[in-house]
Amino acid sequence: KALEIRKRTFQLIYDAKTGHTGSDLACTDILVALYYQVMKIDPQKPNMDGRDQYIQSKGHAAEVLWTVLADKGFISEEELQTFSQYESRLIGHPNNKVAGVEMNTGSLGHGLPVSVGIALAAKLDQKDYQTFTLMGDGELAEGSVWEGAMAAAHYQLDNLTAIIDRNGLQITGASEDVMSVENLAEKWRAFGWDVHEVNGNDMDALVEVLNKHNDTEKPRMIIAKT
């Protein structure tokens, strides 16, 4: 399935003559694991109460998200082919006018703080849905990420899973050259998170850690090396 999604994403970018190819391909396996094996969602009832919430903080990887949503049936294949055309809803960043998209994203650093609010709302409403957010490693230079990290630990949001697409690259170069973030695992542990490091292109490993019950009373961080 991930190979199919990659090929269709390539075609989408080629036809539109625009897109963030590297970022899309880096996180394809993560999205496929979430949408096909992990999250409680229903394309026929995209706004159903109790659905799991997914926030794609690295919103510039929109092309692979549109491809997954079309493959799952949230949008039609015909609409997918309108990507980046005049008056299309399928623009270069996630757009919550489209079924299956919970939040407009693209201003990096916003996904985790908003996901903290969504997960906290679940606790206050005594609902059992899970919240997932995907960040890029270059995005970690944003201060709002670390404000969200503190809040998530403070409120013991064990219903929140954040994933970092650790491909080591951002738009201006290697992330460690632009703004070093290592030792990344120890940073998140110091902020009070339950941290797991996985091969982000190993589907079995991704599905296992994403489906694992969290009994730590801590938010979960998955550093996916892609």
Side-chain angles (χ1 to χ4, degrees):
K1 177 57 66 176
L3 288 172
E4 290 176 11
I5 296 297
R6 279 189 173 88
K7 288 192 289 184
R8 185 66 188 91
T9 302
F10 256 129
Q11 188 68 52
L12 194 69
I13 291 170
Y14 177 82
D15 291 342
K17 303 295 187 287
T18 186
H20 292 79
T21 312
S23 189
D24 287 315
L25 299 181
C27 65
T28 299
D29 293 321
I30 297 168
L31 265 70
V32 170
L34 284 168
Y35 274 89
Y36 296 84
Q37 291 291 326
V38 175
M39 290 196 299
K40 180 176 61 180
I41 52 174
D42 185 347
Q44 304 306 313
K45 296 182 287 185
N47 297 317
M48 71 175 182
D49 190 47
R51 69 189 180 280
D52 288 338
Q53 303 274 315
Y54 173 67
I55 305 296
Q56 185 155 308
S57 192
K58 51 172 286 182
H60 48 284
E63 297 81 24
V64 67
L65 178 61
W66 296 139
T67 302
V68 167
L69 291 177
D71 190 66
K72 291 292 291 183
F74 285 93
I75 56 179
S76 69
E77 176 64 26
E78 290 73 25
E79 183 171 17
L80 181 63
Q81 294 173 15
T82 73
F83 167 66
S84 205
Q85 295 179 15
Y86 180 61
E87 292 191 339
S88 173
R89 299 189 304 166
L90 307 185
I91 56 178
H93 288 89
N95 166 23
N96 66 5
K97 292 183 174 64
V98 178
V101 177
E102 304 289 351
M103 173 190 170
N104 297 343
T105 55
S107 296
L108 295 175
H110 291 182
L112 180 60
V114 171
S115 297
V116 168
I118 294 170
L120 181 57
K123 293 282 190 181
L124 294 172
D125 292 339
Q126 298 183 332
K127 294 186 176 181
D128 63 358
Y129 65 80
Q130 298 292 308
T131 301
F132 299 89
T133 187
L134 175 66
M135 299 182 286
D137 46 12
E139 180 178 357
L140 302 181
E142 299 283 358
S144 51
V145 169
W146 302 99
E147 294 178 59
M150 286 190 292
H154 176 78
Y155 291 109
Q156 298 181 318
L157 298 181
D158 53 6
N159 59 344
L160 170 64
T161 298
I163 307 153
I164 296 172
D165 179 9
R166 186 72 172 114
N167 60 22
L169 296 169
Q170 58 193 92
I171 196 165
T172 50
S175 59
E176 288 306 289
D177 294 336
V178 178
M179 181 63 69
S180 177
V181 294
E182 292 293 353
N183 187 318
L184 195 52
E186 290 306 312
K187 279 187 172 72
W188 286 93
R189 289 191 181 101
F191 272 73
W193 287 59
D194 175 39
V195 179
H196 300 259
E197 297 182 84
V198 299
N199 178 346
N201 300 119
D202 182 333
M203 191 62 70
D204 290 337
L206 284 169
V207 171
E208 180 180 0
V209 72
L210 286 165
N211 272 325
K212 185 178 179 181
H213 176 68
N214 187 352
D215 57 4
T216 66
E217 295 187 344
K218 297 178 179 180
R220 173 167 292 163
M221 168 55 67
I222 298 170
I223 300 172
K225 297 180 181 178
T226 62

